[in-house]
Amino acid sequence: MIEYLDGAVIPTGFDVPVEPLRRAAHYTGEPGCIADARAFAAHFVDQLRTEWCATIGDRAIGDVLLVVSELITNADRHSNGPYILDLEGTELSVTVCVYDSSDALPLRFPKDPERIGRHGLEIVHAVAAEVTAERVPVGKRVRAVLTFGP
């Protein structure tokens, strides 16, 4: 916004919106890639805290890392090829997207404490404000939005 005072131009703020912080990484499914994805996400959250001055509590950081772990694990187990982790964040939220080569959409099973395994998507739904899965030309995209803030 710009104010004009007796012919002088006085800048009073930003005229353009600030873009969210966005980072992406590519994984091939080699051993250790899930840990690498978690480290990448931890570095991303550190950047968000530094560059956006985002106030993100330890629990929210843990939730972001948990969602990254679950979605990358699913991509690793259920696709036959590389996958991409795409992170986008602001001071209010982090969006975790994982693209993989399988066009089979993930299944969310009903709660069953006696079931062994297959709780990943249930966990993601429990900590994320929004979870979507859709087919894309290269396979599918699973997207989880985690919110935090005042």
Side-chain angles (χ1 to χ4, degrees):
M1 173 167 26
I2 297 176
E3 290 184 14
Y4 298 92
L5 181 62
D6 295 327
V9 176
I10 304 169
T12 58
F14 294 104
D15 287 334
V16 293
V18 177
E19 294 294 321
L21 180 63
R22 189 165 186 201
R23 300 287 184 265
H26 175 266
Y27 300 96
T28 60
E30 297 293 319
C33 64
I34 297 165
D36 291 344
R38 284 179 57 90
F40 179 80
H43 181 69
F44 175 82
V45 172
D46 284 343
Q47 281 186 295
L48 199 55
R49 284 175 142 175
T50 304
E51 295 176 23
W52 273 80
C53 299
T55 305
I56 306 171
D58 291 341
R59 181 178 177 124
I61 293 170
D63 288 348
V64 169
L65 299 180
L66 178 61
V67 168
V68 166
S69 292
E70 292 298 337
L71 295 184
I72 290 292
T73 298
N74 286 348
D76 191 59
R77 287 185 181 165
H78 302 293
S79 71
N80 293 322
Y83 36 94
I84 297 169
L85 171 62
D86 186 13
L87 301 171
E88 183 176 291
T90 67
E91 74 277 6
L92 299 176
S93 68
V94 169
T95 301
V96 177
C97 290
V98 175
Y99 295 83
D100 69 44
S101 61
S102 171
D103 64 356
L105 296 178
L107 298 173
R108 182 176 173 200
F109 296 98
K111 291 182 181 180
D112 181 359
E114 297 193 18
R115 183 179 63 245
I116 298 173
R118 299 195 179 260
H119 292 281
L121 204 53
E122 184 180 331
I123 292 168
V124 172
H125 276 271
V127 299
E130 178 185 338
V131 180
T132 58
E134 64 181 344
R135 288 184 179 90
V136 295
V138 297
K140 73 173 165 293
R141 173 182 80 159
V142 180
R143 178 178 172 267
V145 179
L146 294 99
T147 57
F148 41 83

